[in-house]
Amino acid sequence: MDKSRGNTNINIDNSRNVNVNRRNTVVRSSPVRYTRPPYRYGGYGFYCHRPYYYHPYRPFYWGPVWHPWGYFVTTMVTTAIVVSIVNDSGQQEEYHYDDGNYYIKTDKGYEVVQAPVGATVNNIPESAEQVQVGDTYNYYYGGAYYDKSAEGYTVVPATAGTIVPALPEGGEEVKVGEQTYVKFGDTYYQPVQVDGKDMYEIAEVKEETS
């Protein structure tokens, strides 16, 4: 893939609010049965396969070609392709994709947003990592999850139980009783430790019935 950048006049507005698309934060149920009891608080159960292990949320930087949500450019790179999807309302949405970044057009330029669920691209960055989802695998990059098929790489919702090594900007630490999670929209990530490394597991949150 051509790594040259065609954009000039790059602006980063650090005062911009990072908007998390809640449609992208729907969590699919874990395909593996839980053997650990959930952490219960406020009428909800937070289900995870691994034990809770707190470590501070430090957003990860995927390198110079990756841009966090909310990053803004006045002109689009020449290597970008147009990706269209149909949203839940049946309306077509158009994005520009380049090197793992998804942009929407605004009145003043282009803004990086979360990877839209349903978008299919031919290539994703080589630094994308495989993450296990039950007996299968997704590819993970910049907070997005991809299924690989003959058509390419399709953005899919997160699956509960998936463990990822790092999280991007846009999340917030939230206290749930005595535990602290990182929350993106409606998705809760539980801090865990795997082989001595700090990681995150996607929690499955279920309303508990008495």
Side-chain angles (χ1 to χ4, degrees):
M1 179 182 292
D2 183 5
K3 300 293 183 181
S4 62
R5 321 309 291 170
N7 55 328
T8 57
N9 304 322
I10 298 176
N11 299 314
I12 304 175
D13 185 348
N14 292 321
S15 68
R16 298 170 67 87
N17 293 324
V18 177
N19 295 315
V20 176
N21 182 348
R22 292 185 179 275
R23 178 172 179 263
N24 287 19
T25 64
V26 174
V27 175
R28 299 187 290 192
S29 295
S30 173
V32 179
R33 184 176 65 86
Y34 295 101
T35 59
R36 301 179 58 83
Y39 175 70
R40 292 185 168 91
Y41 183 81
Y44 292 87
F46 293 74
Y47 290 78
C48 283
H49 297 291
R50 288 185 173 268
Y52 176 84
Y53 185 92
Y54 176 74
H55 49 83
Y57 165 51
R58 296 187 177 94
F60 185 75
Y61 175 63
W62 271 269
V65 300
W66 176 77
H67 303 309
W69 306 326
Y71 184 93
F72 180 80
V73 295
T74 55
T75 56
M76 182 48 55
V77 294
T78 57
T79 52
I81 63 171
V82 175
V83 178
S84 296
I85 65 168
V86 176
N87 64 24
D88 293 338
S89 301
Q91 298 175 322
Q92 185 165 294
E93 296 177 348
E94 187 174 278
Y95 298 82
H96 295 264
Y97 171 81
D98 181 68
D99 260 343
N101 302 298
Y102 294 83
Y103 302 80
I104 56 170
K105 184 172 175 52
T106 69
D107 292 339
K108 297 182 179 180
Y110 301 84
E111 181 179 348
V112 175
V113 295
Q114 285 179 280
V117 170
T120 299
V121 295
N122 291 330
N123 297 290
I124 56 177
E126 293 179 359
S127 57
E129 300 182 57
Q130 280 193 326
V131 292
Q132 189 166 359
V133 182
D135 295 328
T136 62
Y137 290 87
N138 282 163
Y139 286 86
Y140 177 74
Y141 179 83
Y145 301 87
Y146 295 86
D147 274 342
K148 188 178 187 303
S149 67
E151 287 72 37
Y153 297 85
T154 301
V155 180
V156 294
T159 300
T162 302
I163 293 175
V164 296
L167 297 175
E169 294 181 21
E172 61 173 335
E173 285 195 331
V174 295
K175 291 286 289 184
V176 178
E178 296 181 352
Q179 296 190 175
T180 300
Y181 296 81
V182 178
K183 188 180 181 185
F184 287 83
D186 296 324
T187 303
Y188 288 83
Y189 285 83
Q190 174 178 289
V192 298
Q193 193 171 74
V194 181
D195 297 330
K197 297 180 180 179
D198 292 343
M199 295 189 177
Y200 294 92
E201 179 178 344
I202 300 171
E204 186 165 354
V205 183
K206 300 181 182 181
E207 187 172 3
E208 301 284 89
T209 57
S210 55

